[in-house]
Amino acid sequence: MSALDFQLPARLEARVPAELRGAGRDDVRLMVSDLATGSVTHAHFRELPAFLRKGDLLVLNTSATLPAALTATRANGEEIALHWSTPLPAGLSVVEPRQAQVVAGETLRIPDGTIELLAPYRDSKRLWIARFDIALPVIGYLHRHGRPIAYSYIADRFPISAYQTVYARNEGSAEMPSAGRAFTRPLLACLRKSGIGLARLVLHTGVASLEEHEPPYDEWYEVPLRTAERVRRTRAEGGRVIAVGTTVVRALESSVDGHGEVVASKGWTDLVITPERGVRVVDGLLTGLHEPKATHLQMLMAIGGDLPVRRAYAEALAKDYLWHEFGDLHLIA
């Protein structure tokens, strides 16, 4: 299957949070791909309950975002951005020296400490296994010295609160699981009142700036027993399981037993979901708009089908939807 490739105009890159563009977090657009009819509807995110059914279950990722960007200094005095991505055993970490050619054994100075780059992570040309020499645990250190990861399309520096969902509670993500950013507490209450269930799991995301054709790497997840039970009950009663974000799809599909049932589990997942692999428990997906050739687009096609996803993206481009973590949303259900 050919990759979904397209040109993303700079004007469609969301540069500031929705609350600075409009009335609040939920002031974003919602494109709905209806799997039953094949239609595409253009709506507002506050209308989300109208596109769900009583008995559906929304599954949320409660991972909280860390201020994972640091400034590091090389031996020659050059300053580079360094992004912490994920922890490893033995006190090691995966990091990304941004747009810098580094070598094994190189030591970078950071505020109140150093980082030694030990070896490339797997076969990546971008990610490195590193050892921090600091006086604090890494998470405490990031809170003291780090800032949120932000890319060139972001117009300004925003506080870490701008990169959290309202239901975030478990620290560990290098970048925000952004599909849930538009939810507000009143909207969550409205969903519950409409008979739509809410369940929670955790998947801690690493850095998102993958190289072209680079598959997702291992990420830590936990599907609690209560969530597994609610997913099984929802499916047994004819409801739909709607994942809020590709991270939720990855966690749920990694937590399936030999009979195709979701069970409680936790650990590291390297699952890559493609149309050929398919999905076993997820019936729909709420997600942002993904960049050209992104591996996540293959997951969307696994859930919604090749042609419906291509059609939706053509409409999103034609109707000026906004991309990235502060952008608009796409419901496939």
Side-chain angles (χ1 to χ4, degrees):
M1 179 179 295
S2 60
L4 179 51
D5 193 10
F6 53 91
Q7 294 294 320
L8 179 60
R11 62 186 172 79
L12 300 186
E13 295 182 313
R15 299 183 180 278
V16 299
E19 53 270 35
L20 298 184
R21 302 193 305 265
R25 278 181 173 244
D26 58 358
D27 196 6
V28 297
R29 300 167 70 188
L30 177 68
M31 179 172 61
V32 181
S33 293
D34 190 314
L35 296 181
T37 65
S39 64
V40 176
T41 302
H42 302 283
H44 193 278
F45 185 71
R46 296 192 186 107
E47 301 173 78
L48 176 65
F51 297 99
L52 301 174
R53 307 170 192 157
K54 185 177 180 178
D56 285 347
L57 180 69
L58 284 179
V59 185
L60 314 172
N61 180 4
T62 61
S63 179
T65 313
L66 292 166
L70 298 165
T71 298
T73 305
R74 307 181 74 175
N76 63 3
E78 176 190 5
E79 287 192 346
I80 62 171
L82 185 106
H83 293 172
W84 177 88
S85 180
T86 192
L88 292 174
L92 303 178
S93 295
V94 178
V95 301
E96 179 191 17
R98 289 289 292 167
Q99 300 174 337
Q101 297 295 319
V102 295
V103 297
E106 183 170 355
T107 297
L108 307 173
R109 286 187 289 112
I110 54 176
D112 296 335
T114 60
I115 296 176
E116 183 183 2
L117 303 177
L118 301 176
Y121 179 65
R122 293 186 170 180
D123 297 323
S124 178
K125 299 177 182 177
R126 176 180 62 91
L127 301 176
W128 285 76
I129 300 170
R131 178 185 292 113
F132 280 72
D133 184 5
I134 51 179
L136 295 171
V138 170
I139 287 180
Y141 179 87
L142 292 174
H143 277 298
R144 178 172 295 183
H145 296 289
R147 60 187 181 275
I149 290 176
Y151 297 106
S152 59
Y153 54 81
I154 297 298
D156 202 352
R157 287 191 177 183
F158 300 105
I160 191 64
S161 59
Y163 295 87
Q164 307 287 12
T165 61
V166 297
Y167 47 78
R169 61 175 66 171
N170 307 90
E171 288 188 323
S173 281
E175 300 196 39
M176 174 176 54
S178 57
R181 190 186 187 279
F183 282 100
T184 61
R185 297 194 184 282
L187 181 55
L188 291 172
C190 178
L191 288 165
R192 290 191 186 95
K193 188 174 181 181
S194 301
I196 297 157
L198 301 174
R200 295 170 173 81
L201 55 74
V202 176
L203 186 142
H204 293 318
T205 68
V207 292
S209 53
L210 298 179
E211 298 162 2
E212 187 173 344
H213 306 305
E214 180 183 357
Y217 39 81
D218 294 8
E219 293 173 314
W220 190 91
Y221 77 96
E222 180 175 4
V223 177
L225 177 60
R226 176 170 171 77
T227 294
E229 291 173 341
R230 296 194 68 186
V231 169
R232 293 197 300 268
R233 187 183 313 121
T234 297
R235 292 176 62 81
E237 295 174 353
R240 299 176 299 176
V241 176
I242 311 294
V244 178
T246 58
T247 59
V248 172
V249 179
R250 200 178 192 205
L252 286 178
E253 295 290 330
S254 298
S255 195
V256 177
D257 67 13
H259 303 288
E261 296 286 350
V262 171
V263 295
S265 71
K266 61 183 177 180
W268 294 87
T269 178
D270 60 357
L271 181 63
V272 179
I273 297 174
T274 65
E276 293 76 16
R277 189 266 184 196
V279 290
R280 303 177 71 180
V281 297
V282 172
D283 302 299
L285 171 65
L286 177 69
T287 185
L289 292 161
H290 300 280
E291 296 186 19
K293 296 184 179 180
T295 55
H296 288 320
L297 292 167
Q298 295 291 299
M299 181 188 294
L300 269 61
M301 291 176 178
I303 297 169
D306 185 316
L307 292 179
V309 171
R310 292 178 186 275
R311 178 185 175 190
Y313 269 69
E315 293 219 16
L317 289 165
K319 294 186 179 295
D320 289 349
Y321 275 68
L322 295 179
W323 258 251
H324 304 313
E325 63 267 37
F326 296 144
D328 297 317
L329 293 167
H330 181 200
L331 174 66
I332 303 173

